Every structure is written in structure tokens, then in C-alpha cells.
Amino acid sequence: MLSTVNLTQRYGKRVLFDKINITLDAGKRYGLIGANGAGKSTFMKILAGEIEQSDGEVQLQPGLKLGMLSQNQYAFEDYTLKDAVLYGNKKLFDAQKEKEKLYMEGDFESDAVNNRLGELEMICADEDPTYESDVKIEKLLQSLGFPIEQHDELMSSLTGGDKFKILLAQVLFLKPDVLLLDEPTNNLDMETISWLENELKRHEGTLLVISHDRHFLNGVVTHILDLDFQNIREFTGNYDEWYIAANLIAKQAETDRAKGMKEKEELEKFITRFSANASKAKQATSRQKKLDKLDVQEIRLSSRRDPSIMFKPHRDIGNEVLEVEGLSKSYDGEKVFENLTFKVDKGEKIAIIGGNGAGKTTLLKILMGEIEADAGTYKWGQTITTSYFPQNTTDIVVGDEELPQWIQGFDPKWHIDDIRKTLGRMLFSGEEQKKKVDSCSGGEKHRVMLSKIMMDDANFLVMDEPNNHLDLEAIIALGEALYNYQGGVICVSHDRELIDAFANRIIQIQDDGSIIDFKGDYESFVEQHAH
């Protein structure tokens, strides 16, 4: 279907990847993984012909359609929603629009006009043999949460997140033989991510996807492509299977180096820890069976490093934690939520879930005193100290200070050596700590904020989408840290694996502003409340 021959990309002296020879087969769904900055998006853009490689070539089987998810949310501002989706098949779009124009303005006495209409009709028939493009577009838009009455509105009327959904509908509408998706779950709520998983499982051609959503990768992909050591290695299986195998090799190497350590004990410890962290102890047996079947010889040690996240409360939580009574909030007369009431007890770690616009961020801002509720009250217990990870962290982590100085600005009493150690745990080497905050990427800013939260030593963490911009290794480390944390947690996230890892209570804010309050883990919640 799609092959690379000696594909190489370099920027100056830096080599992203070198002489990659790989073939992506029909019927296989590949997850492309690698550390931030390894070149995943660059590799995908080269496959799509969006950027030029330094050397080598990309070979697409003749006659096949290739489609890549666009990242330019503002490219279709003057298009209606349904026209923006139709544009996914540019050939069909152009033919339909020219045909409409000729029917409106054309001279039907002219042979040239009639001949051209005949040609356009043939193009439309080739691209849309069943003449169902309108119905398909309608269904796609409705599945992504856009009601029919909205389909003729302009793209400029949508928020950034909703524009991205239209771009997703656009590439899915094309039904390409080779489908390339870079972070397709960004800005999607859980329900839509689940719908997308099912759509992609039915994709009949070749799929290549980059995602930091582990649950999504596990649900969709049949193969992993690991971009590491400037090369790509293929592995049969989903992300968890690759992850366990890769870590087994690392553990085995450690065991070989350290005489006297029992290899079997180390491996079993890893399996137990992995299963426990994901709050999926009942799956330990099935993971063990998978493990027995893995061909670990396919995996080399990874050059990636896992961050070491650890939240330590400065004092124990008392019996009174948080009481929320009758909270209500509206914007411009539109109700976000109404009469929200719940109590948080000691030992509870809560995941707040719900669709986009349900008011999750609004609730957290009220609890952190950033905005006021229209009605109702909330009261933190006297022993509680909070640390907050806001959704707009990338806008907050700004300035021309170096990283340690920026963090020390929150509390001059924090020792600079402790701050440096904490940054080191988040994979900022000595030299990297001299970076100016403003020059950090989104992922680096999130790691800086997590470093600051580790320094806080608070006994209650309030987090809004902390997994955004983090790579898979960092998200796994964050889930583990929240699982082991001895304090309380309220966390908004669409990442199901992260929620699985730590939450023992789920609060879902529904579209009508009411809540489902479920005491238990996410898997149990889904089993009980599946639609």
C-alpha cells in the first residue's frame, strides 16, 4: 500500500530518522509512538507529501487515495459545515460546485455547457456512485455532535475544538485507502472518542495514527511503530503489549547486570505493579497470558526516559475535606450546571467527566476561587491545602526567567537545589533547566507545572486536563503518581487510562447540568452506565 525507501530527515546536524525502509499493509492499523521531538509528526507529513524529505522516497501504490487529518482549523472559515466536510473529497467538491454554478447561470442552448455538465456528472458518479454524499455528511456531522439545523452555518461560528471535529469529519468522509491521523482525539469528549474508535476499526485500508491516548491506541491499533534511535521498529500488538514487552527487556537487562537478583521475581513485580496502577487487578491474569505469547526479541531497549512524578502531602488530611452545596452557574443566560451538590471524603480520588461544554472547567475554577458561582456554596476543610493544575497551563507558564527561578517565584523559601532535583525528575537535564520559560513547548510547560505542584507538597490536588501535551510515558507516570498519592484528588480528564489508574469515584456532569455520582472505578462506572 505505502512504502518508504531509505527515508531520511535531517535539520542541520540533527538527524530525526535515517534510512527508514518500511511497508504499511492494507488491513493493518498502526500506532506511531516515540518521545516528544522524535519526529513522529514530521514522518507523517512526509508520507502525506506535505513536507519534503532530506533523502529517500515514499511510494504509494498507484490509484490509491491518501488522506491526512488537517491541523489548520481556520482554513475553511467561509464554508458551511457540510461544505467543509465535502471538501475532504476535493474532486467531488469541485465537480458539485461547478455543476451548481452552471445550473444557476449556464446557457443550456450551448453545446459547451451541456458537454461540461455531462463531464461533471461523470466525475460525480465516479466519486459518489450511490449519490449518498449528502446523507453520509449529515450522519458524520450528527455523530460528532452537530444537529442538522447547524449544518448550513459557517465554520467561523464554531469554537476551535469544534472546528477540529469538522476537519476529522472531512478526512473520514474521503474514505481514503491510506488514512493518516495525528492526535485525532484532541478536543473530543469520551463519547466521541468511543465513536471514532469504532469508525476506525471498520476502516478497510491502511491506518497510521499518532496519539497520546493509551486507551484509544489499545482499542484501535493492530501494530506499533516505535520511532527510536533514529529508526522505526515494527511490533505486532497494541500499545500495552508493546509497553509490557519493552519494559520486560529493560527489567531483564537490569537483572543480568545486577547479580543475585531473581529475574522471575522482578518480572512478576512489574506485572503486578502495572496491573495495580491501572486499577485493573482483575485483568492481571489476561495480561500474564498475553505476556507469555509475546515475542520480546522484537524489542530493543528504548532511548526514552520515564519521568519520576511523586506528590507528597506535607500533612495528613483531616475528616472534613470538601462540601459543595447547590452550586449553579450560567453564562449569558445559558445554564452550565444547576444545584450541584456533593461531599468529598478522606481517601477519595475523583475524576470529573462529561461532554465538551458541560462545565467541568467552570466547576474547578469555582472551587479554586477563580470565578464565582451564581448560587450555592463550597467549603474546604481546615486541614486542606490545594495545588491547582489549570487547563490553560501553557498560557500561565510564561516569562523570561529560567525554569528554576520561575518555580521559586511561587515560594522564595523553596531551596533552589530541591527545585533543580524536581525538574530533573521531570526529565529537564542540568543544561535544559537554563531554558527561558517562554521558549518551552506545550509538553515542557506541562512538565514545569507538574514540577511546581510537586514542590507545593499540598494534600489535595485539583487538576484540569493535566495529560494534555504529555507523551505516553509521562501520562503513565502521572497515573502512577496519583494512584500512590496519599492525599485527595479532583481531576478533569478525557484520558480513560489515566482515570482508570487513580480514580475511585466518578462524577459525570450531564448535558442537562445534573450529575451522576458513582463511587467506584471507571471500568465499573462504564459497566453500570453504558448506553
Side-chain angles (χ1 to χ4, degrees):
M1 293 284 277
L2 180 67
S3 302
T4 65
V5 181
N6 292 330
L7 196 67
T8 300
Q9 187 68 358
R10 64 181 81 85
Y11 292 104
K13 288 183 180 177
R14 188 178 174 222
V15 178
L16 277 185
F17 39 83
D18 186 40
K19 293 194 172 94
I20 291 184
N21 294 285
I22 197 161
T23 297
L24 306 183
D25 297 321
K28 292 181 180 175
R29 301 187 297 272
Y30 300 90
L32 180 59
I33 64 169
N36 282 348
K40 300 185 296 293
S41 294
T42 302
F43 180 73
M44 191 174 271
K45 284 175 182 172
I46 290 171
L47 294 184
E50 290 190 2
I51 58 177
E52 192 72 29
Q53 63 268 30
S54 304
D55 209 351
E57 59 180 307
V58 176
Q59 297 174 344
L60 179 65
Q61 199 175 312
L64 295 187
K65 282 183 192 169
L66 182 144
M68 179 168 172
L69 174 62
S70 170
Q71 301 292 328
N72 186 356
Q73 297 173 2
Y74 301 99
F76 301 94
E77 293 293 88
D78 297 329
Y79 289 65
T80 63
L81 271 54
K82 62 185 185 185
D83 274 354
V85 177
L86 178 63
Y87 193 89
N89 186 333
K90 182 74 164 53
K91 212 170 176 182
L92 180 61
F93 176 89
D94 288 344
Q96 280 196 14
K97 293 302 165 190
E98 189 181 342
K99 198 168 73 169
E100 285 169 17
K101 191 176 180 190
L102 285 175
Y103 275 124
M104 291 275 290
E105 304 167 3
D107 174 10
F108 296 110
E109 301 296 316
S110 160
D111 287 344
V113 169
N114 288 318
N115 288 339
R116 183 58 183 155
L117 281 168
E119 289 168 6
L120 294 170
E121 199 60 55
M122 291 292 288
I123 295 170
C124 290
D126 284 343
E127 295 298 318
D128 182 25
T130 56
Y131 289 90
E132 289 183 325
S133 59
D134 286 352
V135 176
K136 287 174 185 170
I137 290 169
E138 204 171 272
K139 280 185 180 171
L140 268 174
L141 287 171
Q142 285 179 301
S143 298
L144 286 164
F146 300 101
I148 286 177
E149 55 270 20
Q150 204 177 348
H151 296 182
D152 286 312
E153 290 180 11
L154 291 180
M155 285 283 284
S156 55
S157 67
L158 299 182
T159 62
D162 279 347
K163 288 185 210 286
F164 187 81
K165 286 184 181 180
I166 301 295
L167 297 181
L168 187 56
Q170 188 182 75
V171 74
L172 291 175
F173 171 70
L174 177 62
K175 282 197 173 297
D177 302 290
V178 179
L179 177 57
L180 308 177
L181 301 176
D182 190 352
E183 294 292 355
T185 60
N186 280 1
N187 303 300
L188 300 185
D189 57 36
M190 286 177 172
E191 207 172 310
T192 313
I193 293 171
S194 187
W195 169 83
L196 179 60
E197 273 181 29
N198 291 324
E199 285 291 301
L200 296 179
K201 282 181 201 170
R202 292 201 296 268
H203 180 70
E204 292 173 358
T206 304
L207 171 68
L208 179 63
V209 61
I210 298 169
S211 178
H212 290 156
D213 184 330
R214 195 167 109 216
H215 192 288
F216 176 75
L217 282 179
N218 283 333
V220 169
V221 308
T222 58
H223 294 71
I224 292 292
L225 299 179
D226 182 16
L227 178 50
D228 204 359
F229 301 106
Q230 301 171 349
N231 197 6
I232 289 180
R233 298 183 305 282
E234 183 177 339
F235 173 77
T236 302
N238 65 19
Y239 179 79
D240 271 1
E241 289 162 345
W242 170 86
Y243 182 76
I244 293 171
N247 277 276
L248 278 176
I249 290 295
K251 292 287 178 191
Q252 192 166 343
E254 283 173 25
T255 304
D256 291 343
R257 283 193 296 270
K259 287 179 183 177
M261 289 180 72
K262 294 180 182 175
E263 178 188 354
K264 188 169 181 294
E265 186 180 54
E266 279 295 297
L267 302 188
E268 283 174 351
K269 267 186 194 173
F270 173 75
I271 293 295
T272 306
R273 185 172 67 85
F274 185 89
S275 302
N277 284 350
S279 299
K280 290 181 178 177
K282 61 186 175 185
Q283 290 189 12
T285 311
S286 64
R287 287 192 190 281
Q288 186 67 54
K289 284 177 185 170
K290 281 181 185 174
L291 183 61
D292 295 339
K293 294 176 190 170
L294 293 179
D295 178 8
V296 293
Q297 297 311 311
E298 295 180 44
I299 308 293
R300 268 176 73 196
L301 283 174
S302 173
S303 66
R304 293 192 285 280
R305 297 171 297 151
D306 294 353
S308 174
I309 304 175
M310 192 181 294
F311 304 116
K312 287 183 179 174
H314 73 295
R315 64 173 291 180
D316 287 341
I317 282 183
N319 291 325
E320 291 181 7
V321 181
L322 173 65
E323 282 196 47
V324 174
E325 188 73 45
L327 279 189
S328 299
K329 184 67 182 176
S330 299
Y331 287 113
D332 301 324
E334 200 165 312
K335 179 177 70 179
V336 181
F337 49 74
E338 193 170 36
N339 200 27
L340 211 60
T341 299
F342 61 92
K343 183 182 178 186
V344 180
D345 294 320
K346 187 175 181 177
E348 289 191 319
K349 295 177 181 178
I350 300 170
I352 307 275
I353 65 172
N356 290 339
K360 305 182 295 294
T361 294
T362 300
L363 172 61
L364 264 52
K365 284 183 172 179
I366 290 170
L367 295 180
M368 295 310 297
E370 290 205 347
I371 57 175
E372 286 189 14
D374 299 334
T377 60
Y378 67 92
K379 185 185 176 189
W380 291 98
Q382 286 194 333
T383 63
I384 303 301
T385 53
T386 59
S387 188
Y388 181 38
F389 189 109
Q391 191 181 59
N392 63 333
T393 282
T394 48
D395 300 328
I396 289 170
V397 183
V398 290
D400 59 0
E401 297 161 291
E402 292 180 2
L403 306 190
Q405 283 68 36
W406 185 86
I407 290 176
Q408 197 175 40
F410 287 90
D411 189 341
K413 292 196 290 292
W414 287 342
H415 198 285
I416 201 78
D417 287 347
D418 292 332
I419 295 172
R420 289 190 189 284
K421 281 176 194 167
T422 304
L423 283 165
R425 296 175 76 99
M426 292 308 298
L427 306 183
F428 291 103
S429 66
E431 202 56 40
E432 286 172 325
Q433 292 185 17
K434 294 178 181 175
K435 284 178 82 159
K436 299 280 194 277
V437 176
D438 275 342
S439 68
C440 287
S441 67
E444 287 171 330
K445 287 184 175 189
H446 273 223
R447 286 191 280 128
V448 169
M449 182 60 85
L450 287 171
S451 302
K452 181 261 175 191
I453 288 173
M454 282 195 269
M455 290 298 300
D456 276 334
D457 290 339
N459 59 15
F460 201 101
L461 303 180
V462 179
M463 305 185 115
D464 194 353
E465 298 283 7
N467 49 284
N468 284 355
H469 299 289
L470 295 182
D471 60 22
L472 281 155
E473 286 77 23
I475 294 170
I476 291 169
L478 176 59
E480 190 172 326
L482 293 176
Y483 176 77
N484 291 321
Y485 178 52
Q486 297 301 303
V489 178
I490 291 179
C491 178
V492 169
S493 179
H494 290 152
D495 190 302
R496 292 156 293 179
E497 290 285 349
L498 178 63
I499 293 170
D500 258 343
F502 77 88
N504 54 24
R505 182 176 173 187
I506 310 293
I507 294 179
Q508 181 179 40
I509 304 179
Q510 301 189 95
D511 291 343
D512 64 0
S514 64
I515 64 169
I516 295 174
D517 191 349
F518 179 82
K519 298 204 175 184
D521 63 21
Y522 182 66
E523 262 191 62
S524 306
F525 169 82
V526 171
E527 282 169 20
Q528 209 159 312
H529 295 278
H531 296 302

